[in-house]
Every structure is written in structure tokens, then in C-alpha cells.
Amino acid sequence: MAFGSHARAFAGRPVVDVPVDGPLPTVDGPVSWRFSLWHFDETADYKLSDEFRVAFDRFVTQAGPSVESLVIGSWGYAAFNPAPIAQLCAAAPRLPALRALFLGDMTSEECEVSWMRVGDVSPLLTAYPELEVLRVRGGEDLTFSPVRHARLRELAVETGGLSAASVGAVLDSDLPALTDLELWLGTSDYGGDAQVSDLAPLLAGERFGALRRLGLRNAENADDLAEALARAAVVPHLERLDLSLGTLGDRGAAGLLAGQPLSHLAELDLHHHYLSEEMAASVVAALPGVRVDVSDPQEADEYDGESYRYTAVSE
């Protein structure tokens, strides 16, 4: 799937682009500043773009103490240039008010998700102990290390393939304030080798006692996940459950409905799915008090007698 547009809102605030040159625009109320500098340089030799480093430092000098929410778009050409994690960490003393960070807000025209060089994002949490929202997007080299963070409420990791090791590191983290967890599990073709068993501590309710929204999105094993969630101890504590963007079919939906009650949920998001019309209608009818999203139905591809389903995001 191509990411078609940049974020227009983040952390409950409108996104305002930072001019690469010149003063910041006047804004009315709280905003999420978006810093992006795209350029294609095959001679970059896998180093952070000098142009990005200089321009970002200028932005921090201009606005650092007042920046509460920050969106990082392109950092040169993300297939060649690694993410500016070290620079963001070094800038932490100059960004004392930062509470929300989105790293990797790019369209596919700027860089395909699977090509984006990100690395280990956990140092960002160490550098910003007051951070409340972290969303990251990236490719196969996007990793996570176990970390303790007292204030993080929302964590989202968007990939075309999230490794079992990174899933394990997230689940091994100590995040007592976490209410919203979103993992884009992806496909094995792009490093997404996490199985339902790798999520066992989460599904058993042994992690993140404050969790109220769980998104296991963009998963090629969405049917297996749905069947596991049908009996998972974490579900009764949730307000919102999200299995969107994956390959959910009738087997998974039937298993979900046959399991424990879901009527306590405020929202069940299944959009981008492979449900039959009859099954989609059955899910909606079975949960009259729940906002159920079964939009964006997909058709499986048939080739040489085999049926193929695709996640929304892979390359």
C-alpha cells in the first residue's frame, strides 16, 4: 500500500509544516510542528543528511522550548539516510516541553515503508522521559529494545513487517501508563515473523495493566489473531480493539464472535478485510452497541488454484 498523504493531525493537534528557510508561521493555538527535508542523494553513504541536520538545528533554535508535539517527515532520502534518532536524542535538553513525537511521516513517493532506515527507536524514550505519545514508521531495520518509561500513554509502531524480537522487546518494556498500543505486524516477506505465541504475555493480560486500546494491525495472520483474541484475558479490559488493515476473513470473524462477549467495547475496527458480505453483516448485527467498522472490503486474488490475501502495507 502507498501512504497517500502526510498526517494532517497528530496528538489531537493540527499539523503545521516548518519552512526549511525563514521564520515559523504564526499559529493559533497548540499545533504539531512537522519538520521534513526530502532530497535524493545516492552519495549519502548511509549517513544523516547534512542539510537535514543543519536545518533541524535551526528549527530547534527557533522554537525548541515551545515545541510540545513534533512530526518528523523525510530526513533526506530515508532509503540511504538513517533516521535522525541520535540528533533527536541530543536535542532533548533544547526540547523540554516535547510530549508527542511521530517519526517517519512519509508518503511512498518519498520512500516506501520497507526501505526506510530507522534502527532502534528506544533511545528516544530514554532521552525524553516526559514523552506521552510515540509513533514510529519504518522498514525491516526498525527495532525496539526493552525500556522503562513512566509516562508513555500511546505507542504505535507502523511497519510492513515487525519482527518477533521487536514484539518481544515491546512486551518486555515497563510502561505503567500505557493505555494505547498499536503494532503493525506486517508480512513475513518484509520481516514480520511474529506469531500469536509471541504475543502470549500481552493476550494473557500480563502486560500493561492500564491498556484500553489494542491494535494488532496490518497482519497477514489476522484470522489466527482473531481466534486467539476470542479467548484472550486482555479483551475484557479493552475499550477499543483494532484488527484493521490485515487479511481478516470469515474464519477469524466467526471465531471472534463465537468467543467471549465483545459488547463492552466502544469500537471494533476491522476495516480493510476479506469478509464476505454475510459475515460482515453478522458482525455488525451481533454488536449493536459497538461502533463496528467493516469498510474497505477486499477481494482475494486467485492464481493457479491458490487464493492470496494482502495486508494494506507491505513494501
Side-chain angles (χ1 to χ4, degrees), residues 202-205 207-208 211 214 229 232-238 260 264:
L202 175 64
L203 300 181
R207 298 289 189 270
F208 317 134
L211 196 67
L214 176 60
L229 285 162
V234 70
V235 171
H237 302 284
L238 300 177
Q260 62 189 313
H264 67 286

Side-chain angles (χ1 to χ4, degrees), residues 30-248:
V31 302
S32 292
W33 292 109
R34 181 178 184 275
F35 187 89
S36 183
L37 196 159
W38 190 94
H39 65 93
F40 185 85
D41 182 3
E42 292 191 43
T43 67
D45 195 27
Y46 302 112
K47 297 179 181 178
L48 183 63
S49 158
D50 287 339
E51 290 85 350
F52 182 95
R53 288 192 297 103
V54 171
F56 183 74
D57 185 74
R58 185 185 308 119
F59 162 67
V60 174
T61 299
Q62 284 180 306
S66 65
V67 176
E68 298 178 354
S69 183
L70 177 62
V71 176
I72 300 293
S74 296
W75 48 78
Y77 181 51
F80 297 150
N81 305 123
I85 291 175
Q87 185 175 11
L88 283 165
C89 291
R94 301 163 65 199
L95 294 166
L98 190 66
R99 297 296 181 269
L101 175 62
F102 179 3
L103 176 66
D105 179 35
M106 302 181 211
T107 66
S108 60
E109 287 75 18
E110 293 165 311
C111 190
E112 297 286 0
V113 172
S114 68
W115 302 354
M116 292 166 59
R117 296 172 55 83
V118 178
D120 190 349
V121 300
S122 296
L124 292 169
L125 292 174
T126 302
Y128 292 91
E130 303 299 317
L131 201 67
E132 297 176 0
V133 179
L134 176 62
R135 177 173 288 269
V136 294
R137 178 184 295 164
E140 296 177 43
D141 73 332
L142 190 158
T143 61
F144 201 89
S145 299
V147 65
R148 188 186 191 286
H149 197 286
R151 295 187 178 275
L152 191 71
R153 294 184 292 103
E154 300 179 19
L155 174 63
V157 185
E158 300 183 12
T159 75
L162 188 62
S163 71
S166 290
V167 169
V170 170
L171 300 189
D172 285 341
S173 294
D174 185 4
L175 306 172
L178 194 71
T179 61
D180 191 319
L181 176 62
E182 184 179 318
L183 302 177
W184 294 34
L185 298 171
T187 76
S188 55
D189 289 340
Y190 291 93
D193 59 358
Q195 304 299 314
V196 171
S197 58
D198 297 304
L199 295 160
L202 175 64
L203 300 181
E206 299 169 0
R207 298 289 189 270
F208 317 134
L211 196 67
R212 296 296 176 265
R213 176 183 179 264
L214 176 60
L216 300 175
R217 310 183 73 192
N218 197 51
E220 67 178 354
N221 59 345
D223 280 343
D224 296 337
L225 289 170
E227 290 179 336
L229 285 162
R231 58 184 184 276
V234 70
V235 171
H237 302 284
L238 300 177
E239 297 172 359
R240 293 180 291 161
L241 178 60
D242 189 341
L243 291 172
S244 65
L245 305 181
T247 63
L248 185 71

